[in-house]
Amino acid sequence: MKSWTIEIPGPIVAYTRTTQRAKFVSPAYRKYAAWKKRVRLHATVAGVPEVLEKTREYSVKVFARWKRRPRQDISNVLKGIKDSLWKEDRYVFKVYGEHIPGSPDEDVTVIVEEM
């Protein structure tokens, strides 16, 4: 069973997910796209594969730390992380997310496990 841990420094921009139409005109979407590239870069450095093996099952745990109260719901952060890591994420069978308010810094820790 393999496991990868990814530390992604803030700010967390996953809450700016938007519609297909807004992709071409929204500055918020450009910010979100840049954040997704940064997440993928950290994942590559950590050794997370870009393509999941079809014969395996995976789980993803996301811990979002905030200086204050969370600015968005954890489901948007989870979806943003999964979109950043893989184009095809249907082999991710377990997903867990947790907000942790009151942290000195804003960041995200992602743990990907092969089950």
Side-chain angles (χ1 to χ4, degrees):
M1 182 165 106
K2 296 179 186 175
S3 178
W4 301 272
T5 301
I6 311 160
E7 298 289 339
I8 305 156
I12 302 169
V13 188
Y15 63 92
T16 57
R17 292 181 65 227
T18 185
T19 64
Q20 287 291 105
R21 184 175 163 206
K23 282 184 179 183
F24 303 105
V25 295
S26 171
Y29 183 78
R30 286 193 292 274
K31 197 179 209 184
Y32 174 59
W35 180 77
K36 283 176 40 174
K37 286 181 182 179
R38 191 163 50 101
V39 170
R40 183 62 242 176
L41 176 66
H42 284 281
T44 300
V45 170
V48 177
E50 284 191 57
V51 178
L52 298 176
E53 291 183 41
K54 295 177 182 178
T55 58
R56 306 265 187 220
E57 294 178 357
Y58 298 86
S59 72
V60 176
K61 297 176 187 169
V62 175
F63 302 93
R65 283 177 287 284
W66 308 91
K67 290 183 180 183
R68 295 175 200 86
R69 194 181 61 160
R71 291 192 310 261
Q72 72 270 359
D73 66 45
I74 193 69
S75 64
N76 283 345
V77 178
L78 287 166
K79 184 61 178 160
I81 293 291
K82 285 175 41 179
D83 285 349
S84 303
L85 296 180
W86 307 288
K87 290 180 182 176
E88 180 61 62
D89 60 5
R90 69 176 145 177
Y91 302 109
V92 177
F93 284 87
K94 291 184 180 180
V95 180
Y96 173 81
E98 184 176 327
H99 286 295
I100 305 169
S103 174
D105 294 312
E106 184 173 293
D107 63 358
V108 179
T109 299
V110 180
I111 301 170
V112 178
E113 294 178 327
E114 187 179 279
M115 303 184 335

